[in-house]
Amino acid sequence: MTQYNALNALCINNTDLNTLMKNKLFSLLIAAIILLSCDNSNKIRSFEPGEIWPDNNGIHINAHGGGILFHKGKYYWFGEHKTEGNTGNVANVGVHCYSSKDLYNWQDEGIALAVMPEGSGSPIEKGCILERPKVIYNKKNNNYVMWFHLEPKGGGYTGALSGVAVSDNITGPYAFLRAARPNAGHWPLNASEQMKSGAIPSEGKYYGGGSLPAHPDSLNLVARDFGGGQMARDMTLFVDDDQKAYHIYSSEDNSTLHIALLNDDYTDHTGIYTRQFLGRFMEAPAMFKKDSKYYLMMSGCTGWAPNQARSAVADDILGEWTELGDPCIGDNDKKTFHSQSTFILPVQGRKNQYIYMGDRWTPKNAIDGRYIWLPLEFEGDKFFIRQHNEWSLK
Ligand code: GAL
């Protein structure tokens, strides 16, 4: 029944003026309730990890391997736009952006960084691999800087480059600047003298990504890549309270995580970086800070298949880092609740409310990938994550 008919139905056959007035008031009240409930009927009020998550157009959010930037009262979610089928993990479209005020309801803001046409020869040509985009705000320049893992088209995962793009508008369009391997010609701050002196020979060989024949130090992979820059695949960004920004990426054939300081514009590396978790094959890094301590959540290295999560804590972002183990509680399969970390989001205005953001990849139909968002719990210097089928912010 339409609202108009409902009102009529309530008012009809009433001749007594008083009753009529009362009924009219009553019907106005009913109409207001109907209108209010219509207005809010599409509102999402809870997180349902693993379910379809519709945007303002009713379309499942398409922002995988993503991260969130909070700016001027709104959250902006940037992620990989996937397409249908088992070829949908390559970049056919670009980086998708959504905005939200409440973290449940997301508005489609379109493609923030578009891939270039096929045949253009651009490093971000359609069909390249463009993963784990993150955007940070640069206060000094009042602009937005996006970094991502880039594999130019046709090279599989051998490129291991980092791409950077900038925009004066948070939602884009972002202008692609360049893609390169970070920190060419620079030794890490914690490189040993042996490594630097060449006392440990480097065979110059590249390995598959999931394992090495020996410890990365005895292969001296840093020396192998000294001239051309260090390999950089899975990545995240972190801006500290002093506005220094860091790029955190899986390097040395994924065996070792690098934490690298960016320049003041956030558009290049500075040569200041450290190696962490040597030979641990940490992927999918997500960093946050709480009570002056830095935390990392990471995964192991098994491609699109989920594996057991890892976590770590440090007093200094460049290290020493101490591993804390798997933060997941009740995760019987030990597969991070069938997801892989991508970001940990501090919720604005809520003390100690942080959200784990993970991807449940679906490589057979990439666009169908799901989002596993779960609340962090804290105990001492450790954080934990528990499974919830549905939950809301406190
Ligand atoms: C994962 C990585 C993803 C993607 C995938 C490809 O380990 O986290 O971002 O690169 O491998 O197999």
Side-chain angles (χ1 to χ4, degrees):
M1 195 185 282
T2 63
Q3 194 188 310
Y4 176 78
N5 285 339
L7 279 169
N8 276 349
L10 277 165
C11 298
I12 221 146
N13 293 332
N14 232 322
T15 46
D16 177 84
L17 193 62
N18 261 346
T19 321
L20 185 66
M21 288 289 285
K22 273 186 198 157
N23 275 349
K24 274 204 168 155
L25 272 178
F26 179 67
S27 23
L28 275 175
L29 195 71
I30 297 283
I33 291 170
I34 292 171
L35 276 178
L36 272 176
S37 63
C38 285
D39 257 14
N40 290 326
S41 60
N42 291 329
K43 288 247 179 203
I44 300 172
R45 296 171 193 283
S46 59
F47 300 108
E48 292 185 60
E51 298 299 320
I52 289 285
W53 194 343
D55 67 5
N56 60 312
N57 300 314
I59 298 170
H60 182 49
I61 293 170
N62 199 340
H64 310 265
I68 288 182
L69 173 62
F70 181 78
H71 197 63
K72 294 189 178 154
K74 266 194 186 178
Y75 296 93
Y76 294 84
W77 180 355
F78 297 85
E80 302 158 29
H81 179 106
K82 304 278 194 190
T83 52
E84 292 204 354
N86 61 6
T87 54
N89 271 321
V90 300
N92 291 313
V93 177
V95 177
H96 208 136
C97 175
Y98 295 83
S99 69
S100 173
K101 280 191 174 162
D102 63 8
L103 292 169
Y104 306 118
N105 298 279
W106 291 90
Q107 174 163 327
D108 186 356
E109 298 285 356
I111 299 304
L113 173 71
V115 293
M116 293 294 144
E118 251 170 331
S120 62
S122 163
I124 58 164
E125 173 173 346
K126 184 176 177 198
C128 66
I129 293 169
L130 195 166
E131 293 179 338
R132 299 189 174 272
K134 306 287 178 300
V135 174
I136 49 180
Y137 173 62
N138 185 288
K139 235 185 201 169
K140 178 173 83 84
N141 299 332
N142 188 28
N143 69 353
Y144 307 89
V145 185
M146 178 190 292
W147 282 86
F148 46 89
H149 166 206
L150 181 76
E151 300 289 348
K153 191 177 175 181
Y157 277 89
T158 58
L161 308 181
S162 295
V164 56
V166 291
S167 177
D168 289 336
N169 291 313
I170 192 162
T171 55
Y174 283 75
F176 173 68
L177 294 183
R178 90 191 88 80
R181 286 190 177 181
N183 292 317
H186 295 279
W187 293 108
L189 296 183
N190 54 353
S192 65
E193 286 312 314
Q194 263 190 323
M195 180 181 270
K196 291 197 267 188
S197 68
I200 311 168
S202 172
E203 280 180 54
K205 253 194 189 168
Y206 280 89
Y207 302 89
S211 63
L212 289 175
H215 190 274
D217 280 1
S218 53
L219 300 166
N220 205 348
L221 303 183
V222 175
R224 180 195 67 187
D225 294 332
F226 184 79
Q230 301 297 317
M231 297 177 84
R233 290 196 182 117
D234 277 12
M235 56 143 278
T236 195
L237 300 175
F238 181 78
V239 181
D240 211 342
D241 303 329
D242 58 4
Q243 298 306 308
K244 284 187 175 164
Y246 297 83
H247 182 205
I248 299 119
Y249 51 90
S250 307
S251 194
E252 303 179 38
D253 288 299
N254 297 349
S255 68
T256 298
L257 198 77
H258 287 190
I259 301 181
L261 178 68
L262 294 176
N263 66 4
D264 288 351
D265 295 331
Y266 301 168
T267 52
D268 209 346
H269 295 83
T270 53
I272 296 172
Y273 70 107
T274 60
R275 305 167 68 226
Q276 305 295 335
F277 315 110
L278 316 186
R280 289 281 289 133
F281 289 88
M282 301 292 200
E283 283 203 315
M287 185 183 278
F288 67 98
K289 190 177 184 180
K290 183 180 173 287
D291 303 332
S292 307
K293 289 200 183 289
Y294 300 87
Y295 292 88
L296 270 168
M297 177 149 171
M298 300 154 287
S299 73
C301 188
T302 54
W304 301 118
N307 55 53
Q308 187 168 18
R310 294 120 180 246
S311 64
V313 65
D315 290 322
D316 185 325
I317 191 167
L318 291 172
E320 297 275 315
W321 282 87
T322 308
E323 281 201 50
L324 298 174
D326 182 354
C328 300
I329 297 177
D331 176 27
N332 299 334
D333 294 343
K334 303 220 178 304
K335 291 198 159 68
T336 322
F337 306 112
H338 289 257
S339 70
Q340 189 182 27
S341 44
T342 186
F343 202 75
I344 289 182
L345 174 70
V347 180
Q348 295 301 311
R350 289 172 200 252
K351 203 172 182 282
N352 297 344
Q353 178 99 66
Y354 293 76
I355 300 178
Y356 161 75
M357 292 170 54
D359 293 281
R360 184 171 290 167
W361 306 111
T362 53
K364 282 189 183 146
N365 187 19
I367 198 172
D368 193 33
R370 303 300 171 88
Y371 308 102
I372 308 300
W373 285 26
L374 293 167
L376 259 59
E377 295 172 21
F378 294 94
E379 216 182 285
D381 285 350
K382 287 186 168 186
F383 70 93
F384 299 96
I385 302 169
R386 247 178 258 268
Q387 168 78 317
H388 295 261
N389 293 330
E390 186 174 359
W391 67 282
S392 305
L393 296 169
K394 279 187 249 120

